[in-house]
Amino acid sequence: MLRCTRILTAVLLIASTALMSAQKPDAPGREWWKRAVFYELYPRSFADSNNDGIGDLNGITSKMGYLHDLGVDAIWISPCFPSPQVDFGYDVSDYENIDPMYGTLKDFDALAAEGKKKSVRIIFDFVVNHSSDKHPWFIESSSSKTNPKRDWYIWRDGKNGGPPNNWISTFGGSAWKLDPRTGQFYYHYFYAEQPDLNWRNPEVQKAMYDATRFWYKRGVSGFRLDAVDILFEDPDLRNNKVLEGKNAYGDPITDEKFNKKLPEVHDVMRKLRSAADEFGSVLIGETWTSNVSELKDYYGEHNDELQLPMDLMMTEFKGLSADQYRKHIAAVNAAGHWPVYVITNHDIVRSYTRYADGAHNDDIAKMMAMLYLTLRGTAIMYYGEEIGMENNDPKSKDEVQDPIGKLGWPLEKGRDGERTPMQWNGGENAGFSKAKPWLPVPANYKTHNVASEMKDANSVLSFYRQLLALRHKEPALLEGNFQLLNENDANVLTYVRRYKDEAILVVLNMSASDQNVGLDLSPLGFAQPRLSVLLTSFHKPLPGMAAELPMEPYSAFIAKITK
Ligand code: GLC
Ligand code: CA
């Protein structure tokens, strides 16, 4: 704490490089979802109130105080609708109810009420592309070729004794399954237990829009839209081009031209958005893109599609490179839309594990936290990031729960590793449950858990809490524009967030060695700036007077700039 209040009068050196041209400050009074920090939680793994080894809604409700104190404004709960759990909830058998494993609609109401009390909004996960094969719609649809629900899914005749075309399921094998009863195949981009809905059918569209309204009325403030890219398929079912190589399941790789990112998706997003707008709600997109310009499309030509399409590109960066992050963030800002930063989620290896070097793991976690929580844009956290949870991948095939891990073992180990129980304390099952949890707790729960990190001023959790408090308090972090400094520095990422007379400097050493950073803030109008340090991850006390800012390996520094 001492360090946070200290004033560093820096004799600032001439910066090595030019300053990015100043952008106009952003307007104040943003929509709530621009100011909010979102927190994804996997309901099976967050908190188990009835000790059956699986998390539940009452468990989440009991942790609302923790979430509020952490500085979270909205929780995105991965699917908790009735489901056979083939894909752990991403196979929904009723869009307007809660799975008994997680509780009841009444429990949801209690969760929403507690959320309201603690100013934590609830975001649900809407699995739009497919239902479960146990959804009554699909059961009816598969019962006969003439059933009124037949056209709610994608049924086609086979070709030459095989499936209708060469489309591959992203979870392995052909994307078509023969139903012997009616002799036709149905289409499933994911598991066969997840048949794709036919979004060309207006009745399907209406049922799905109504489902969103059902939850908005019940207190949900928005949706994360699952797999939006694949809502439509080429009506002529043209074959995809086969590319070189095989995937982890041994299937040929294809270009997916005819079953992904079809333009019709945008009509649906506009309609989902107009339902959301009736309730002041937000739509977050699971939007996998290979570049910034692709991401732009999801906001809609007239900003009438998704408010928050996730930028998932940083999760695919290999290693830590100041230059790579700098270029990407600059491109995102230049694109002109409101950015959405994510460093991991329930499908991606935890950021702690991805970036760890064995020697500076907690430092790196803090440095990455400062990055995505101080950029201009909305940040989406993933539960456990704030305490430095690590992946706990299955050690052998028979331990695997996630079916893709069973199918793809050992190349694809599945996603169990990033979905393990939240580490609440150093006790039995990390305080998640009194029963054996559905997935094993990672080994680092003894040192990395909420209870012990709360007591340690230097823990990852304490760092997150301070950072989130700053983010909510400082106008420059909430409203400010984004300006890069020292653009040729290969090791240190430096930027300023500025709003009116407020300016905040962020310095992140992305390298494993000490770095001295020269700063020239005169082009920003600060001829003799004073830096009031707000937070650092330094191990050593900061020298009072410095010509350059000494940055420890993988350290993070944030300060207010005043004249
Ligand atoms: C999304 C989800 C993933 C799920 C898949 C199928 O990618 O994030 O967890 O398996 O959709 O619904
Ligand atoms: Ca339970």
Side-chain angles (χ1 to χ4, degrees), residues 225-237:
L225 302 176
D226 184 66
V228 280
D229 281 341
I230 50 168
L231 295 189
F232 288 89
E233 297 76 29
D234 177 40
D236 300 330
L237 303 188

Side-chain angles (χ1 to χ4, degrees), residues 420-439:
T420 58
M422 178 69 179
Q423 296 162 197
W424 294 106
N425 60 47
E428 193 193 4
N429 304 319
F432 162 75
S433 175
K434 293 203 171 72
K436 187 177 175 225
W438 76 288
L439 283 176

